[in-house]
């Protein structure tokens, strides 16, 4: 292991259908800490997600700071290599040819067990946050092992329209954060990128999870806009500056469904600290600079318990 400031950067190995690399942050003294699993997108890696690759913006590195402050275990694993050479996750898209064929549900299950056995992770507070292909994988996990996931966040991702998974009916609190101008994961559903399978619309995903969780109580809708003193930028196609946040709740059980509708946002994580380069944005569309996605996801996770 090596050290990055006060944060421990650990490289460990788990063998489930091959060897995987995982970056793990473990708090020094916390007993029964929560566990957050962070899943990268297709073509990414654990290194890329946490900013260990040079010259690349990494909004997800914020998770390291949150893990240190809140004293939970953070695990960032590598996906496996698909036949096109890209690293990713087997996320149940029946009509996609770029996803790996590995049993990633078994892998994540083994990872959770290892974090519990080795570091005392609280199995009643296990959270998964996935980006793009990782977000689709998070949706698969709560179909195939929902009893092991306390809540999940699907960032710039949706549910597959043609799924190889068997749907569960076990409630799990769900958060979706998608851009309305995403050129890769269409907000209104349809083909993902270039022949990467079909996705449901974000609204369909929210309706599915509201029904599954019995979250029929519309708690509130908050529109986030910049404070002029802090962010004088006016909303433009290049600088989307509005987010509609909608919370639904099951008033008896407490299960929740949260939607962050990023108006004019593209296929990237909203972030104040880590703006993507213009060359990257030409491919992904505009990046919202109004909030840190990791902070609002942790706020959703923080007090939940199975």
């Amino acid at each position: 292991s090596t050290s990055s400031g006060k944060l421990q950067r650990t490289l460990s190995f788990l063998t489930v259908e091959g060897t995987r690399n995982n970056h793990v942050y473990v708090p020094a003294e916390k007993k029964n800490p929560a566990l957050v699993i962070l899943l990268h997108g297709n073509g990414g890696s654990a290194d890329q997600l946490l900013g260990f690759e040079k010259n690349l913006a990494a909004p997800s590195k914020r998770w390291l700071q949150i893990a240190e402050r809140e004293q939970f275990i953070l695990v960032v694993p590598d996906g496996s290599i698909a036949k096109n050479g890209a690293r990713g996750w087997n996320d149940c898209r029946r009509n996609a040819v770029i996803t790996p064929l590995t049993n990633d549900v078994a892998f994540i299950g083994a990872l959770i067990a290892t974090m519990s056995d080795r570091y005392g992770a609280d199995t009643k507070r296990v959270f998964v946050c996935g980006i793009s292909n990782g977000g689709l994988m998070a949706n698969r996990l709560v179909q195939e092992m929902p009893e092991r996931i306390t809540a999940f966040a699907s960032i710039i991702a949706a549910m597959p329209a043609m799924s190889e998974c068997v749907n569960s009916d076990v409630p799990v609190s769900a958060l979706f954060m998608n851009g309305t101008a995403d050129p890769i994961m269409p907000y209104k559903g349809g083909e993902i990128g270039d022949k990467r399978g079909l996705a449901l619309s974000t609204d369909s995903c929210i309706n599915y999870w509201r029904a599954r969780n019995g979250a029929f109580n519309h708690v509130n809708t908050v529109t986030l806009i910049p404070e002029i003193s802090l962010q004088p930028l006016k909303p433009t196609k290049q600088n989307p500056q509005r987010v509609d946040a909608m919370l639904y709740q099951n008033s008896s059980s407490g299960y929740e469904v949260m939607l962050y509708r990023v108006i004019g946002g593209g296929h990237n994580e909203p972030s104040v600290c880590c703006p993507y380069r213009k060359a990257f944005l030409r491919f992904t569309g505009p990046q919202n600079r109004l909030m840190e996605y990791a902070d609002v996801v942790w706020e959703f996770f923080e007090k939940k318990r199975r």
Side-chain angles (χ1 to χ4, degrees):
S1 64
T2 61
S3 176
S4 175
K6 294 181 180 179
L7 296 171
Q8 181 182 355
R9 178 185 169 196
T10 304
L11 188 64
S12 60
F13 301 88
L14 296 173
T15 303
V16 176
E17 294 195 3
T19 300
R20 309 278 191 98
N21 292 341
N22 309 274
H23 293 306
V24 185
Y25 170 74
V26 181
E29 300 179 0
K30 180 82 170 181
K31 292 184 179 180
N32 303 117
L35 170 62
V36 174
I37 301 171
L38 187 60
L39 304 178
H40 63 76
N42 185 265
S45 67
D47 276 352
Q48 167 263 322
L49 206 58
L50 292 181
F52 296 146
E53 293 184 0
K54 294 182 179 180
N55 302 321
L56 292 176
S60 292
K61 70 182 181 182
R62 174 70 176 157
W63 278 106
L64 288 168
Q65 297 172 338
I66 300 171
E68 181 184 36
R69 184 189 73 213
E70 302 294 336
Q71 293 291 281
F72 59 77
I73 298 172
L74 177 67
V75 182
V76 189
D78 271 342
S80 56
I81 304 295
K83 59 184 179 182
N84 69 343
R87 189 180 299 279
W89 306 98
N90 185 354
D91 59 23
C92 273
R93 278 177 282 175
R94 182 185 303 165
N95 53 348
V97 297
I98 64 165
T99 51
L101 300 177
T102 45
N103 188 342
D104 288 326
V105 174
F107 168 67
I108 299 296
L111 189 151
I112 292 170
T114 298
M115 294 299 106
S116 176
D117 295 342
R118 187 180 299 179
Y119 302 117
D122 186 350
T123 55
K124 295 185 180 299
R125 292 187 296 153
V126 176
F127 307 102
V128 179
C129 177
I131 316 296
S132 192
N133 172 215
L136 281 149
M137 185 65 211
N139 277 280
R140 178 177 186 178
L141 293 173
V142 290
Q143 296 292 4
E144 299 198 354
M145 56 177 198
E147 70 286 346
R148 303 184 72 180
I149 308 297
T150 309
F152 77 101
S154 179
I155 311 299
I156 53 174
M159 299 168 65
M162 299 177 63
S163 174
E164 294 179 331
C165 296
V166 177
N167 283 356
S168 171
D169 59 3
V170 175
V172 182
S173 287
L175 180 151
F176 285 78
M177 184 183 297
N178 289 340
T180 61
D182 190 329
I184 297 171
M185 184 72 60
Y187 190 89
K188 294 184 178 180
E191 186 175 290
I192 303 171
D194 183 18
K195 298 180 180 179
R196 298 183 182 183
L198 298 175
L200 294 177
S201 70
T202 298
D203 288 346
S204 295
C205 295
I206 294 298
N207 291 337
Y208 167 85
W209 279 101
R210 287 186 67 192
R212 177 163 158 177
N213 290 344
F216 300 118
N217 181 26
H218 183 185
V219 179
N220 61 10
T221 297
V222 177
T223 297
L224 306 177
I225 57 176
E227 295 182 34
I228 299 301
S229 60
L230 297 178
Q231 292 186 334
L233 293 175
K234 293 182 179 180
T236 67
K237 289 184 178 180
Q238 291 73 35
N239 296 295
Q241 290 290 301
R242 176 185 156 194
V243 178
D244 291 335
M246 285 156 277
L247 176 63
Y248 306 92
Q249 190 176 72
N250 183 319
S251 55
S252 58
S253 69
Y255 286 106
E256 293 181 334
V257 177
M258 187 86 194
L259 169 62
Y260 284 90
R261 180 189 291 137
V262 184
I263 307 300
H267 194 71
N268 43 60
E269 312 93 302
S271 178
V272 179
C273 74
C274 302
Y276 285 111
R277 294 181 175 182
K278 290 182 179 180
F280 183 75
L281 297 181
R282 282 196 289 270
F283 172 70
T284 65
Q287 180 187 20
N288 183 278
R289 301 287 314 287
L290 181 58
M291 63 183 184
E292 290 296 343
Y293 97 89
D295 288 76
V296 299
V297 170
W298 173 246
E299 183 180 1
F300 182 77
F301 287 166
E302 185 175 7
K303 295 181 181 179
K304 290 180 171 58
R305 189 179 186 90
R306 268 220 172 271

